[in-house]
Amino acid sequence: TSGNPNAISTADSDIAVELHPNPTSGIITLSRTDVMKVEVLDAMGRLLMTIENKHIIDLSKLSQGYYTLRITLPEGVAIRKVIRK
């Protein structure tokens, strides 16, 4: 990991976390309640929102499109895509 502060210790594919509904009209619920942080990024990779210690995420203020969720859990960081319809 060569001192990279963004390195993760667990491969994303090993982390079980789902989000529903997807596509969403606003509110999504993560399948895990031990969420430490969720970062919402737009298609260009810009950070739009950071939500801490919540597994219900409100995306209703975002416009329609594709977003990436960077979900920090005790065992690592999972990356999931969500469609805001």
Side-chain angles (χ1 to χ4, degrees):
T1 56
S2 68
N4 180 348
N6 297 319
I8 56 174
S9 57
T10 304
D12 177 61
S13 59
D14 296 337
I15 299 173
V17 62
E18 298 172 16
L19 39 111
H20 302 282
N22 189 10
T24 181
S25 55
I27 305 290
I28 57 170
T29 303
L30 302 178
S31 61
R32 304 260 306 253
T33 57
D34 58 346
V35 175
M36 298 158 66
K37 181 168 65 172
V38 176
E39 294 169 298
V40 181
L41 297 97
D42 67 10
M44 302 300 293
R46 291 177 294 228
L47 181 63
L48 302 177
M49 300 167 53
T50 300
I51 301 103
E52 297 194 8
N53 303 314
K54 292 186 180 173
H55 72 283
I56 297 174
I57 310 300
D58 184 357
L59 302 178
S60 62
K61 290 186 173 69
L62 300 179
S63 32
Q64 295 181 352
Y66 291 89
Y67 296 92
T68 300
L69 302 184
R70 195 163 43 203
I71 306 163
T72 304
L73 296 157
E75 68 270 33
V77 176
I79 305 296
R80 297 292 182 268
K81 302 284 185 192
V82 65
I83 299 170
R84 166 76 171 89
K85 62 180 181 178

